């Protein structure tokens, strides 16, 4: 006659705790997988592409300042690091890959924290560094497009996309084609909204709009203007 083995109360409690722990870890893994699947990036979201471009511009500027510092570099870098932190907060809030950046000259798919050009995106070939906070008094030496000598009322920088610099303050623009004081009109052809702003600083693109100016022409939820009309008006 065989004897039935029974578990002691302590062993039953231990088994129950183990089962709950296994079930909990499985639920956590499923939740983590689901959240990862919902994260978007520059290759499949215009919002994420615009934010990644803005982040790349600022990271490139910081790197350039560190490589060739001057008396104002520390202040500029501190300003840009604050802008980078804000852009990353916007990436997280928009469901984008946090830290993803796009810089000119990259290749392949955009990586978190890396510099790459998103597939199918129209990048400004001049965009090699971000806007600075120091006013430009003359057009930068790398201006080879001739836009800076355009007559008032003439369309400039044809084919350029427009994104935000991430800077606060009154509506303004930064440019590598036009000196400080130049007045530009930027029209978003997708919604026919326009803003007229003065160039106040230098950047690595034909025109970058600061936060206030970009809000005047953006489409809801988007951080990149693919079809832009840029005119020199003063």
């Amino acid at each position: 006659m065989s004897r039935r083995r029974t578990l002691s109360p302590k062993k039953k409690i231990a088994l129950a705790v183990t089962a709950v722990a296994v079930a909990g870890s499985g639920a956590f893994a499923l939740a983590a997988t689901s959240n990862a699947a919902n994260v978007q990036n520059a290759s499949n979201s215009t919002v994420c592409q615009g934010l990644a471009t803005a982040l790349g511009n600022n990271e490139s500027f910081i790197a350039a300042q560190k490589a060739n510092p001057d008396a104002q570099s520390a202040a500029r870098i501190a300003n840009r690091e604050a802008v980078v932190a804000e852009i990353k907060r916007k990436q997280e809030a928009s469901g984008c890959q946090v830290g993803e950046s796009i810089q000119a000259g990259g290749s392949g798919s955009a990586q978190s924290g890396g510099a790459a050009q998103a597939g199918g995106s129209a990048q400004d070939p001049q965009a090699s560094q971000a806007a600075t906070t120091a006013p430009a008094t003359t057009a930068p030496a790398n201006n080879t497009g001739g836009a800076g000598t355009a007559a008032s009322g003439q369309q400039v920088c044809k084919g350029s996309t427009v994104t935000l610099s991430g800077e606060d303050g009154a509506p303004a623009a930064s440019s590598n084609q036009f000196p400080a004081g130049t007045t530009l009109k930027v029209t978003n052809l997708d919604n026919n909204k326009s803003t007229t702003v003065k160039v106040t600083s230098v950047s690595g693109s034909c025109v970058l709009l600061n936060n206030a100016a970009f809000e005047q022409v953006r489409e809801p939820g988007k951080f990149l203007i693919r079809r832009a009309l840029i005119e020199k008006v003063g």
Side-chain angles (χ1 to χ4, degrees):
M1 187 173 184
S2 62
R3 289 174 130 189
R4 288 184 70 187
R5 297 180 62 189
T6 59
L7 297 175
S8 67
K10 287 186 177 180
K11 287 186 177 180
K12 288 181 179 180
I13 293 173
L15 287 173
V17 170
T18 301
V20 170
V22 171
S25 62
F28 177 79
L30 287 173
T33 302
S34 175
N35 290 337
N38 292 331
V39 174
Q40 296 180 307
N41 56 46
S43 65
N44 57 26
S45 168
T46 302
V47 172
C48 298
Q49 184 183 351
L51 289 170
T53 301
L55 182 59
N57 285 339
N58 285 283
E59 289 179 336
S60 180
F61 171 74
I62 290 173
Q65 288 292 306
K66 288 181 177 179
N68 298 286
D70 59 28
Q72 297 181 350
S73 289
R76 293 183 190 134
I77 290 171
N79 173 272
R80 286 295 160 177
E81 286 176 341
V83 171
V84 164
E86 177 60 27
I87 292 172
K88 287 182 178 180
R89 283 193 288 270
K90 289 180 179 178
Q91 286 179 319
E92 183 176 12
S94 302
C96 301
Q97 185 176 344
V98 177
E100 180 184 32
S101 67
I102 298 174
Q103 297 174 9
S107 60
S109 59
Q111 298 292 326
S112 175
Q117 182 174 0
S121 64
Q123 295 296 319
D124 187 337
Q126 298 287 340
S128 58
Q129 71 178 60
T132 74
T133 57
T137 56
T138 58
N142 64 346
N143 174 14
T144 58
T149 59
S152 180
Q154 184 175 342
Q155 181 181 355
V156 295
C157 305
K158 295 180 180 180
S160 293
T161 58
V162 176
T163 188
L164 74 167
S165 66
E167 293 180 294
D168 293 323
S174 56
S175 175
N176 70 347
Q177 300 287 319
F178 303 98
T182 303
T183 303
L184 300 175
K185 180 180 179 181
V186 179
T187 303
N188 184 344
L189 297 178
D190 289 325
N191 59 12
N192 291 319
K193 291 184 177 181
S194 299
T195 183
T196 300
V197 292
K198 285 189 178 295
V199 174
T200 59
S201 59
V202 64
S203 74
S205 298
C206 173
V207 58
L208 291 178
L209 299 177
N210 70 355
N211 292 342
F214 196 81
E215 284 295 328
Q216 294 178 345
V217 295
R218 69 179 289 193
E219 292 181 272
K222 294 186 177 181
F223 293 91
L224 179 72
I225 301 174
R226 292 180 180 275
R227 298 175 60 242
L229 173 63
I230 306 170
E231 300 169 276
K232 180 182 177 183
V233 296

